[in-house]
Amino acid sequence: MPTKLIPKELAKRPERLAPGHRLCAGCGASIIVRQILAAIDEPVVMSCATGCLEVATTIYPYTAWRMPWIHNAFENSASTMAGIEAAYRSMVRQGKIPEQNVKFLAFGGDGGTYDIGIQALSGAVERGHQFLYVCYDNGAYMNTGIQRSSATPFGAHTTTSPAGKVIPGKQQFRKDLTAIMAAHGIPYVAQAAPSQWRDLMQKTRKAVNCGGPAFMNVLSSCNRGWRHGTDETIEITQLAVDTCYWPLYEVENGEWRLTYKPKEKRPVEEWLKRQGRFRHLFRPENRHLIDELQAEVDRRWERLLRLCGEA
Amino acid sequence: MSKFEALTGNAAVATAMRQINPDVVAAYPITPQTSTVQTFADFVADGLVDTEFVCVESEHSAMSACVGASAAGARVMTATAANGLALMWEILYIAASNRCPIVMSLVNRALSAPINIHCDHSDVMGIRDSGWLILFSENGQEAYDNLIQAVRIAEHPDVLLPVAICQDGFITSHALERVEIYDDADVRAFVGEYKPQWPLLDLEHPKTYGPLDFYDYYYEHKRQQVEAMEHAQRVILEVAEEFNRKFNRNYGLFEPYRLEDAEVAVIVANSTAGTARVVVDRLRDEGLKVGLLKPRVFRPFPAEELADALSHLKAVAVMDRSISFGAMDNAGPLFLELAAALALHGVQVPMADYVYGLGGRDILPHEIERVYRDALKVAETGRVERRVTYLSVRE
C-alpha cells in the first residue's frame, strides 16, 4: 500500500533531502522537492540541472541528498537521466543488477528547461524514457542573479529585462511549456504548485506510475527575484493559482483535466501587487500593461477550459 | 579462431562494438561516422548485442547520456566526428572530470567553416586538453584493435578516464580493407566484465555525482586527473602487451619504421603513415637513410619516449593535419608538442612542420617524398629554411 497522503503518515517517512542545505529561507524549490520525494515510496535516482537547487545542496565535500543524485551540466538534466534510465534497463535485462522499481526523476529550473534544456527534454520524452521531468519554474535565471527567461511573466522586472525609463520590464508573454510538453503526446503532463501540496503529490504519483515519460511544471516562488517576504511563499503561489496565472491541470493520455478550479477567479493584479518585480506596473502610465497581461491570462484560461471540456 | 574479412574502418569499429557488447551506446549520426552507428543499429535490431541503444537528438545529448549511463555503472560507448565532437565539447570535460570510462570512436573530419565532410585532424586537436585519452589508428585494423584495448585502458582503476580512438574520415572509415576479426569469445574474454566502483545505481550506497566544487577542492580534483593521466601511459603499455601476446600484434606508444639507422624521419599519424611507409621504402632503395615514426598515443603524450626515439636523427619533419591558429609560426599541434618535447629532453635536432591534407585534400607519395628530400637537405646543412610549410595549397 502506498503511504497515505496525509501529513501524519507522510511525516513518518525519512526525508531524502537532508536539512542543512543552503537554499534561501522561503525558497519554493526545496518545498517542491520534499513534496515530490515524499509522494514517491519507491527508490529514486535523480538528476539535476545546474541551478540553485544544485549549487545549494551539494557544496563539496557535503551533500544534502540521501539518495543517488547526479548533476551533469545546465542543459542536460533530461539527457543525463535518459542515459541512467537506459543503463538501468540494460543492466536489469542482462541480470547485472536487480529490478527494484526505481523511479527516475530529473529536475531543472525554468532556464534549464524552457530555454537551454528544451531540446534535450524534447528528445528524451520523444524516445520514451521512463522518467519524470520536473521543472521548478521561478520565472527567471535566479541562480545567476535574476535574468529573464522565456518563463518570465510579461512586464516583470529582471536584471536583463529591467523596468527602465523607456522599456517597462519584460516585453513578451511566458512560453507555454506545459502545453508544448503535452503536444509531445507523452502519457502524463501536469502543471502544479506547492501551495496545493496534495494535488502536487497526487500528480507526482500518477507521473511516476504512468509507464512512460512524464513532465510536471511546478510554480516555484523565488523571494529574491519576485521580491516578497520569505514567509509569503505559499500564499503568493496560491494567488498565482487563484488568479489563473498558473492553473492546475493535468493531461493524462491526451485527456485534459482541471484539477483545481478557483471558486472565484481573482484579477491578476492581486498576484502582481504582492511582488516587487511588478512594482513599476502600478505607475499610472503602465496601467495598460496590467490590462494586457490580464487579457493574456484570460485568453489562456479560456483556452484551457475549452481543452478541459469546461467551457 | 580469428578470420579475415573485407571491412570498412567503420564496419570494423562496429564489429568491435558488437564483440565488446557495451551496456549502453548513445550516439547521433554524423558523416563520416554514421555507418558505424548504422551497422551497430543492425546488431541491436538483430539481437546480437544486449546494448541499450539510445538514438539521441544531438551529440550534446549523446555525451550527456553517456555520462549518465557511465555514472550509473554501465559500460558505455559512442561515436562521432568533427562538428559533433565540437557540440559535445562541454560534456567531454565533464566525462573526464567525473572519471567516466567512456569509449568513443572518433572519425576525424574537418571542422566547419567552411563546411566540409572530409578528413583532417582539427576535430580531435580541439579536445586535446579535455582529459580524454587519445589514440590514433592508421587503418581499420588498428581502429578495431585500439577500440578493444580502449575499454580495458579506460576502465582500469588507476585510470578511469574516457578514451577516443581516432581514424581518418573516409580514407579509412569508408575504405574496404582486409581486417582480422578475432573470435567473439576471445574479445569478450579480453575486455572482461566491467566492475564499476561507484555506480549511481547501487541504491544501498547513495552517491552524489557532480557537486559544486570551489577553490577549496576543485584544484585537488584536477590534480587527481593528472595522476590518472600519468598512470595511463603504463596501463596503455600493459594492455598493449597483453593484447599483442593474445592476438599477435605489436602495439606500443608509437610505431617506428626503419627508424633505427635513419638520419631523417617524418612523424605522421593515422592513414598518411601508410603512404609515408611506401615513400620510405622507395627512398631506402635509393640508399637514403630515411625513417618514419607513427604516433599511436597522443594523450597522454609520451614526450620522453619520443625524444629518445628521435634523438639520433639529423632532421625531423612533422606532418600536421591541422593548424593551431595563432600558435608559434601558425604550426600544427603535433609539431608544437613534439618540438617542446625534444627541446626539454635535450634533443637538438632541426625540425620543420608540414601542414597537409586539410579538409580532405589528397596527400600523395610525391608530396611526402618532397618532405623527405627537404629533411635530407636540412640534415646536410643543419639549417631549416622554412619552419612551417603548407603542402599543396594554392598560395
Side-chain angles (χ1 to χ4, degrees), chain B residues 120-278:
Chain B
D120 72 30
H121 299 162
S122 52
D123 55 2
V124 62
M125 290 306 164
I127 67 159
R128 64 190 192 266
D129 294 341
S130 67
W132 281 61
L133 308 187
I134 298 169
L135 276 72
F136 289 120
S137 321
E138 182 186 326
N139 48 37
Q141 183 72 57
E142 291 192 4
Y144 170 80
D145 290 343
N146 279 336
L147 207 72
I148 294 167
Q149 293 175 67
V151 175
R152 287 278 303 278
I153 298 163
E155 292 171 2
H156 193 288
D158 294 344
V159 178
L160 284 179
L161 288 173
V163 182
I165 300 300
C166 300
Q167 65 168 315
D168 280 347
F170 288 113
I171 301 166
T172 64
S173 70
H174 285 61
L176 270 182
E177 284 189 285
R178 186 172 178 269
V179 181
E180 184 179 5
I181 299 296
Y182 315 119
D183 194 68
D184 285 2
D186 288 342
V187 174
R188 283 189 190 184
F190 184 82
V191 296
E193 199 175 314
Y194 175 43
K195 293 192 179 64
Q197 295 183 61
W198 303 282
L200 199 59
L201 288 175
D202 176 2
L203 305 177
E204 306 308 313
H205 305 93
K207 281 148 208 91
T208 290
Y209 268 81
L212 183 67
D213 193 14
F214 277 146
Y215 27 70
D216 39 5
Y217 286 101
Y218 179 90
Y219 197 179
E220 278 71 25
H221 287 123
K222 294 294 118 183
R223 183 65 183 86
Q224 289 180 344
Q225 279 179 255
V226 171
E227 212 166 90
M229 270 291 172
E230 284 167 354
H231 294 153
Q233 181 166 320
R234 169 180 54 81
V235 171
I236 288 168
L237 286 172
E238 284 170 8
V239 171
E241 200 189 311
E242 196 184 322
F243 188 88
N244 294 341
R245 227 179 16 247
K246 188 156 174 113
F247 299 110
N248 196 24
R249 298 272 168 219
N250 191 26
Y251 288 102
L253 298 170
F254 46 80
E255 186 189 297
Y257 183 70
R258 305 184 84 163
L259 190 64
E260 211 165 296
D261 66 337
E263 287 179 355
V264 308
V266 161
I267 320 298
V268 67
N270 275 10
S271 66
T272 308
T275 320
R277 206 179 286 111
V278 174

Side-chain angles (χ1 to χ4, degrees), chain A residues 53-129:
Chain A
L53 182 58
E54 169 256 332
V55 301
T57 57
T58 63
I59 304 174
Y60 189 89
Y62 304 103
T63 179
W65 301 97
R66 294 166 169 154
M67 53 186 253
W69 186 95
I70 186 170
H71 157 250
N72 187 344
F74 194 4
E75 66 284 58
N76 63 0
S77 184
S79 42
T80 303
M81 187 44 72
I84 295 168
E85 188 259 4
Y88 175 77
R89 271 189 289 126
S90 174
M91 292 194 290
V92 166
R93 195 176 58 229
Q94 296 176 69
K96 290 183 177 177
I97 56 169
E99 159 80 66
Q100 289 178 85
N101 195 19
V102 181
K103 302 302 182 190
F104 297 99
L105 189 59
F107 258 80
D110 50 287
T113 310
Y114 283 66
D115 286 351
I116 200 167
I118 193 169
Q119 174 185 322
L121 171 62
S122 176
V125 303
E126 180 274 330
R127 291 190 300 273
H129 295 283

